Amino acid sequence: AQKVTQAQTEISVVEKEDVTLDCVYETRDTTYYLFWYKQPPSGELVFLIRRNSFDEQNEISGRYSWNFQKSTSSFNFTITASQVVDSAVYFCALSEPGLTGGFKTIFGAGTRLFVKA
Amino acid sequence: DSGVTQTPKHLITATGQRVTLRCSPRSGDLSVYWYQQSLDQGLQFLIQYYNGEERAKGNILERFSAQQFPDLHSELNLSSLELGDSALYFCASSAQQGWETQYFGPGTRLLVL
């Protein structure tokens, strides 16, 4: 069965610190997709990254980077030189194919990040 | 702006009532997904439709139903509402059947009194 664990409920950092948000997943499928979404205080869900199970290359996008390790079933997210605008809840999600052609997506509980000025 | 629209933005109703939430996907997207976000349950996948057909089902209650119309917009019907149904309901859309990125609408905040 699918499971996504974000063990860090809340993280508080001071601006310009680096911070890593952990995500551990469980799945029996060999084909699956992993996502990170950001939910700022305004409430919308903003897509950050998508990674398929066959692509373990790490990715960097500006101050954001992602480390995907199948061996440990982890997909961690690092923000370098954090800024106040990074304050939000961050969700890790796992999508795997269902029995009828669609995809079921399960979200982790989220990590609330506070970045203080 | 993700391109996914949801109406209404806010909805206040009473227990036992029925409401309909509406979602218009991004132009060209064939799949629509519904999610419920509540404080105690987090973000829960409810159901997926692809080109008018149900494709995946999550933790959707029997009191809830959804459909996707020929113009690809979708409606989520919630009936016999209970206090615990108060939540933020998100709709998302993707281009095909679900392996692609899902883009989320702004959500409908439902309050059941």
Side-chain angles (χ1 to χ4, degrees), chain A residues 71-87:
Chain A
S71 60
T72 56
S73 296
S74 65
F75 186 42
N76 296 337
F77 171 34
T78 298
I79 302 175
T80 302
S82 59
Q83 299 176 1
V84 172
V85 293
D86 295 327
S87 297

Side-chain angles (χ1 to χ4, degrees), chain A residues 49 51 55-60 65-69 75:
Chain A
I49 189 171
R51 175 66 77 233
D55 181 4
E56 286 195 70
Q57 248 187 337
N58 291 328
E59 181 156 338
I60 298 174
S65 61
W66 291 270
N67 185 321
F68 176 28
Q69 293 196 340
F75 186 42

